[in-house]
Amino acid sequence: KEQDQAMGIAHYVNLCPTNKKVALFTDTEQDGVFQRPLYLAALKKLGDTVVGDYTFPVNTTDFTSFITNAKQKGAQIVIGQMAPPDGVTLFKQMKSLGYHPKIGVIAKAGDFVSWVQALGTISAGSLAEEPWTPRWNYPGSAQVAAKLTRQLHDLGDVANAVPAYSVGEVMLAAIRRAGSTGSAKINRALGATSMMTPYGRVRFSSKHVSVMGYAVFQWQGTSLVQVYPRVAGARLQFPMKGFA
């Protein structure tokens, strides 16, 4: 859930030695509007200071004033929720303006290999947020991931495709239990769901939500390395090489 997403990022940035000053970039698209207060709350809870809280419309092309302000205030951490093209533009302008944060993560924009393809070496050491990791090793996940990897070639894409595949499993199972394609019967069957999928166990609460897992990865070349929750053998790059 989105609160876990925000807390996961906040926990990760506090594993690293920074001045705990954050520049927060969120657009006015629905994800940005919803996620902004969650980031603010999570960062405050862990003792970080948001020295720059920047909001802007989707398709903004000039972030100069925000970047200059963040640089002047000494923000060593950049966190954002942005559409992919805008996130790429932001990172390119940060680099060209000589702003050198130590940590950078732009949710949504940085979650797929297109981020690396668009930014090249600038992306090195930046973070990605993913809803699934092969290290969880749920029943069937290795087989599904192997098939998807042959088509998608990238962990970022697979990490989003595995949950989507699991959604299909949950829906088909509900239809079978309902014995009908009528919406009311399917909804009742969904409400009674308790099943293991490649994404983990799905069980809906009284609020109609099944809370699933969440992980933070770091782009190292074109590979994603899990950095939160921490796992044995993972080598963390700090500060991020793209701005070192």
Side-chain angles (χ1 to χ4, degrees), residues 13-103:
V13 301
N14 280 279
L15 294 175
C16 304
T18 70
N19 61 7
K20 298 175 74 70
K21 293 183 178 180
V22 181
L24 180 63
F25 294 83
T26 53
D27 61 29
T28 53
E29 193 265 341
Q30 185 176 2
D31 286 345
V33 171
F34 188 82
Q35 199 70 18
R36 176 180 166 270
L38 301 181
Y39 279 129
L40 290 171
L43 292 163
K44 181 179 180 180
K45 183 175 182 179
L46 295 184
D48 300 294
T49 302
V50 177
V51 296
D53 182 7
Y54 313 114
T55 59
F56 40 84
V58 177
N59 297 324
T60 292
T61 58
D62 187 359
F63 299 96
T64 301
S65 62
F66 300 145
I67 294 168
T68 301
N69 185 259
K71 182 179 177 181
Q72 290 173 344
K73 291 181 176 178
Q76 294 182 347
I77 303 165
V78 168
I79 297 174
Q81 180 85 38
M82 300 172 62
D86 302 357
V88 168
T89 298
L90 172 66
F91 260 51
K92 286 182 175 179
Q93 291 179 2
M94 284 164 48
K95 185 73 171 182
S96 66
L97 291 168
Y99 175 38
H100 301 288
K102 294 184 175 182
I103 298 172

Side-chain angles (χ1 to χ4, degrees), residues 82-144:
M82 300 172 62
D86 302 357
V88 168
T89 298
L90 172 66
F91 260 51
K92 286 182 175 179
Q93 291 179 2
M94 284 164 48
K95 185 73 171 182
S96 66
L97 291 168
Y99 175 38
H100 301 288
K102 294 184 175 182
I103 298 172
V105 53
I106 306 297
K108 189 162 54 180
D111 296 346
F112 303 94
V113 75
S114 56
W115 173 254
V116 177
Q117 293 167 342
L119 287 174
T121 57
I122 297 174
S123 68
S126 61
L127 304 179
E129 304 176 306
E130 304 295 353
W132 176 85
T133 167
R135 289 180 178 268
W136 289 334
N137 199 29
Y138 294 120
S141 64
Q143 293 86 342
V144 173

